[in-house]
Amino acid sequence: MNSVFTTSAEENYLKAIFKIAEKEPGVVLTNALAAEMGTSAASATDMLKRLSDKQLVAYEKYRGVTLSETGNRIATDLIRKHRLWEVFLVDKLGFAWDEVHEFAEQLEHIQGEHLSERLDEFLGHPRFDPHGDPIPDAQGKWMRRTQSRLLTLTPGQRGVVTGVDDHSPSFLQYLAELGLSLGAELALIERTPYDQSSKVRIGEREAVLSEKVGQNLFVRII
Amino acid sequence: MNSVFTTSAEENYLKAIFKIAEKEPGVVLTNALAAEMGTSAASATDMLKRLSDKQLVAYEKYRGVTLSETGNRIATDLIRKHRLWEVFLVDKLGFAWDEVHEFAEQLEHIQGEHLSERLDEFLGHPRFDPHGDPIPDAQGKWMRRTQSRLLTLTPGQRGVVTGVDDHSPSFLQYLAELGLSLGAELALIERTPYDQSSKVRIGEREAVLSEKVGQNLFVRII
DNA sequence: AAATATTTTTAGTCTAGTCTAAAAATAAAA
DNA sequence: TTTTATTTTTAGACTAGACTAAAAATATTT
Ligand SMILES: [Mn+2]
Ligand SMILES: [Mn+2]
Ligand SMILES: [Mn+2]
Ligand SMILES: [Mn+2]
């Protein structure tokens, strides 16, 4: 189907470009890409030339880069595989949601026919990964969802945890300790004007969550 | 546990050394290693120096190589992971036994804590892979089994298919078509002295199997 | 024991992917 | 609009892992 051979490094760069453009639509700048990849700007420039030669990106010197149709498809497929593997690791192997990212970062690059289809089927066609992120379908179509940051709730409103905007193990572990896994219900009791912290009820317990948490936690209002 | 960092390439070479020494105990020669890896002898020499620097092999110029304790452990663990993933692909994802090798060749290199333990548990601690090859346990211990080549059976003897000595997709597919999957029963009707071919009964059917098949098919005599 | 054949190593080159330091282009400020 | 700051690219170097061709070591014949 995708006749372009890509190395793991190339795939990771394509995914990084996709993720930056997802948050901040438009062209992606070299420094932003280098930062996302944890490499030097020189290395990013280097890779952009390679990706451009392979027609996976439209790259203009000094101006930035965007994914081509093919590049977009490869990135989408990579994200699909990443998230399917995460579902496997959590649902089938019993890992916690903060333990699976690095594994998936490797597993997403496994090459071969029909693997993602079979995995998808085995997992029961999951539509979201363990962090609440949508899994594009085999055709690369994305599911759109309405979710709100906890910070936007007003006192009295209730919500179901649907996702996170910070995937760091420390944040994920902290949420798990609070009982705030995907699907957990909470109610906003009050918001402190001084520091925007949120006092919430989670089941029987109450907890005070910082502005940072309020910013990084997504809920569906119910 | 294993504090030595190894690249995929290094791991593949270690596994190749292990496999050659398994068939032909003693030191492994450069050319044999290069042949097994499908690389030039120069590349093999190159890698042997690297592995020797890392103390994963005992290498003497012009004399050959053997695995060190650590090298042996890494190779064993790699084979364990390879075979566990093959079980996953066949038992859980529904691939045929001739389709899984290349996937496992990649999956065996996935790095991270507790992955093989969890996978092993999820699969129910399988002791053999889809090709009948034993899966070493988490301590690296091997299970020994008595099996015979079909060629050693005498007319009238019956056997259960337990393994293959040729893992090529074409042989595996041929066996599957014959109904000779793992666990299948057969009975030797007669052996043609002229070309050592075996006339066998497989369930209701009869089939004539070449010497090559007789050589590469393992059975447990019942 | 010499000559010949085979095996293995060395030498030199290549590519992908990284780096640092310097140069060039672009953007912002004076 | 010129100067200064920032961003990006280029230049040059490094490593892992591959190659080919040549040299050296070992094994086999004569
Ligand atoms: Mn990755
Ligand atoms: Mn995720
Ligand atoms: Mn491998
Ligand atoms: Mn196998």
Side-chain angles (χ1 to χ4, degrees):
Chain A
M1 195 107 281
N2 252 318
S3 50
V4 201
F5 172 76
T6 45
T7 65
S8 294
E10 287 168 347
E11 289 175 350
N12 285 334
Y13 274 93
L14 290 173
K15 194 175 63 166
I17 295 167
F18 183 97
K19 294 217 160 173
I20 295 164
E22 195 180 30
K23 289 237 164 184
E24 195 85 43
V27 301
V28 170
L29 301 178
T30 301
N31 266 356
L33 180 55
E36 174 75 23
M37 288 301 296
T39 59
S40 70
S43 300
T45 299
D46 225 69
M47 181 56 88
L48 287 179
K49 285 186 201 152
R50 275 195 290 274
L51 295 174
S52 187
D53 288 348
K54 291 191 174 185
Q55 319 236 50
L56 301 175
V57 299
Y59 166 55
E60 273 191 273
K61 264 192 187 179
Y62 296 102
R63 289 277 102 111
V65 72
T66 55
L67 293 177
S68 71
E69 202 62 39
T70 313
N72 193 285
R73 191 57 218 267
I74 293 173
T76 301
D77 216 61
L78 199 69
I79 292 169
R80 173 172 160 79
K81 289 187 279 179
H82 184 109
R83 293 180 181 172
L84 285 173
W85 279 115
E86 284 188 342
V87 172
F88 168 71
L89 292 164
V90 169
D91 286 10
K92 303 297 183 179
L93 297 198
F95 283 101
W97 69 344
D98 59 287
E99 300 175 314
V100 298
H101 182 77
E102 287 309 313
F103 286 117
E105 203 56 52
Q106 302 171 62
L107 287 162
E108 67 189 1
H109 303 291
I110 302 294
Q111 308 270 354
E113 289 283 291
H114 307 307
L115 184 57
S116 50
E117 293 95 300
R118 301 258 181 158
L119 183 59
D120 184 43
E121 194 180 341
F122 175 61
L123 298 172
H125 307 290
R127 306 226 299 299
F128 301 97
D129 85 357
H131 312 107
D133 295 311
I135 300 175
D137 69 19
Q139 284 69 50
K141 290 269 165 260
W142 291 85
M143 147 140 323
R144 261 288 148 255
R145 228 181 354 163
T146 46
Q147 54 183 10
S148 321
R149 296 176 196 279
L150 170 60
L151 216 53
T152 67
L153 297 216
T154 52
Q157 280 191 305
R158 294 165 11 96
V160 177
V161 175
T162 54
V164 292
D165 205 10
D166 169 3
H167 291 69
S168 68
S170 67
F171 182 53
L172 296 173
Q173 266 178 256
Y174 176 48
L175 289 181
E177 282 161 24
L178 287 165
L180 290 176
S181 307
L182 279 200
E185 281 191 34
L186 57 74
L188 182 64
I189 299 167
E190 62 176 359
R191 168 143 318 107
T192 307
Y194 172 63
D195 63 1
Q196 297 297 311
S197 60
S198 307
K199 182 186 275 188
V200 296
R201 186 155 34 68
I202 307 163
E204 307 295 284
R205 282 184 296 165
E206 285 189 9
V208 177
L209 305 176
S210 70
E211 177 180 17
K212 195 174 176 188
V213 171
Q215 178 66 27
N216 285 314
L217 187 64
F218 289 118
V219 300
R220 175 168 43 77
I221 298 169
I222 54 177
Chain B
M1 192 109 277
N2 253 318
S3 50
V4 201
F5 172 77
T6 45
T7 65
S8 295
E10 288 167 345
E11 290 175 349
N12 285 334
Y13 273 95
L14 290 173
K15 195 175 62 166
I17 295 167
F18 183 98
K19 294 218 159 173
I20 295 164
E22 196 181 30
K23 289 239 166 183
E24 196 83 42
V27 300
V28 170
L29 301 179
T30 301
N31 266 356
L33 180 56
E36 174 74 23
M37 288 299 298
T39 60
S40 70
S43 300
T45 299
D46 224 69
M47 180 56 88
L48 287 178
K49 284 187 201 150
R50 276 195 288 274
L51 294 174
S52 188
D53 289 347
K54 291 191 174 184
Q55 320 236 51
L56 301 176
V57 298
Y59 167 56
E60 273 192 274
K61 265 191 185 179
Y62 295 100
R63 289 278 104 115
V65 73
T66 54
L67 292 178
S68 71
E69 202 61 40
T70 314
N72 192 285
R73 191 57 220 263
I74 292 172
T76 301
D77 216 61
L78 199 68
I79 291 169
R80 172 173 161 78
K81 289 187 279 180
H82 184 108
R83 293 180 180 171
L84 285 173
W85 280 115
E86 283 188 342
V87 172
F88 168 71
L89 292 164
V90 169
D91 286 10
K92 303 297 182 179
L93 296 199
F95 283 101
W97 70 344
D98 59 287
E99 299 175 314
V100 298
H101 181 78
E102 287 309 312
F103 286 118
E105 203 55 53
Q106 302 170 61
L107 286 162
E108 66 189 2
H109 303 291
I110 302 294
Q111 307 271 354
E113 290 283 291
H114 308 306
L115 184 56
S116 51
E117 293 96 300
R118 302 258 182 155
L119 184 59
D120 183 43
E121 195 181 340
F122 175 61
L123 298 172
H125 307 288
R127 307 225 299 299
F128 301 97
D129 84 357
H131 312 107
D133 296 310
I135 300 174
D137 70 18
Q139 284 69 51
K141 290 269 166 262
W142 291 84
M143 146 142 323
R144 262 287 147 255
R145 230 182 352 163
T146 45
Q147 54 182 10
S148 321
R149 294 177 197 279
L150 170 59
L151 217 52
T152 68
L153 296 215
T154 53
Q157 281 193 304
R158 293 165 12 93
V160 177
V161 175
T162 54
V164 291
D165 204 10
D166 169 2
H167 291 69
S168 68
S170 68
F171 182 53
L172 296 173
Q173 265 178 257
Y174 177 48
L175 289 181
E177 282 160 24
L178 287 165
L180 291 176
S181 306
L182 238 42
E185 282 191 32
L186 56 76
L188 183 65
I189 300 167
E190 62 175 358
R191 168 142 317 106
T192 307
Y194 173 62
D195 64 358
Q196 297 296 311
S197 60
S198 308
K199 183 185 275 188
V200 297
R201 187 158 30 71
I202 308 163
E204 307 296 284
R205 280 185 295 165
E206 285 188 9
V208 176
L209 306 176
S210 69
E211 177 179 18
K212 195 174 177 189
V213 171
Q215 179 65 28
N216 285 315
L217 187 64
F218 289 118
V219 299
R220 174 169 43 77
I221 297 169
I222 53 176

